[in-house]
């Protein structure tokens, strides 16, 4: 079995809901191979359902999550 045959077999085995992700990735790689600059493609998969004041409380949320952990700097 060649690598191309294996790629076709794997594409055929993908569930329908994951197929578009694979196609987008392959398109990106093919564009780079042809010397074209790949464009970014963004998709929204879900909306955020959280506290309305989360942006205001972001620092507090991070501090709470890090509480008791060793702090490291980048």
């Amino acid at each position: 079995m060649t690598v191309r045959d294996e790629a076709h077999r794997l594409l055929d085995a993908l569930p329908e809901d994951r197929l578009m992700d694979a196609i987008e990735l392959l398109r990106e790689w093919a564009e780079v191979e042809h010397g074209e600059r790949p464009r970014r493609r963004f998709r929204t998969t879900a909306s955020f359902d959280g506290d309305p004041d989360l942006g205001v409380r972001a620092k507090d949320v991070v501090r709470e999550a890090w509480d008791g952990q060793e702090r490291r700097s980048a």
Side-chain angles (χ1 to χ4, degrees):
M1 178 182 285
T2 68
V3 172
R4 189 168 296 273
D5 291 336
E6 176 72 2
H8 283 281
R9 186 191 69 74
L10 290 170
L11 278 173
D12 289 339
L14 279 176
E16 194 69 29
D17 62 328
R18 296 298 312 259
L19 194 54
M20 201 59 214
D21 294 332
I23 295 298
E24 287 180 18
L25 182 61
L26 290 171
R27 279 186 189 136
E28 217 175 279
W29 289 348
E31 289 171 357
V32 170
E33 288 295 316
H34 291 106
E36 299 174 19
R37 184 175 177 210
R39 294 184 331 202
R40 299 250 181 213
R41 294 178 181 93
F42 297 99
R43 278 192 315 173
T44 302
T45 56
S47 61
F48 178 72
D49 185 24
D51 297 332
D53 66 338
L54 185 59
V56 175
R57 296 184 338 100
K59 288 182 181 179
D60 296 331
V61 171
V62 171
R63 281 190 195 106
E64 290 170 13
W66 284 351
D67 191 31
Q69 293 182 4
E70 180 181 328
R71 294 197 172 107
R72 297 182 290 172
S73 62

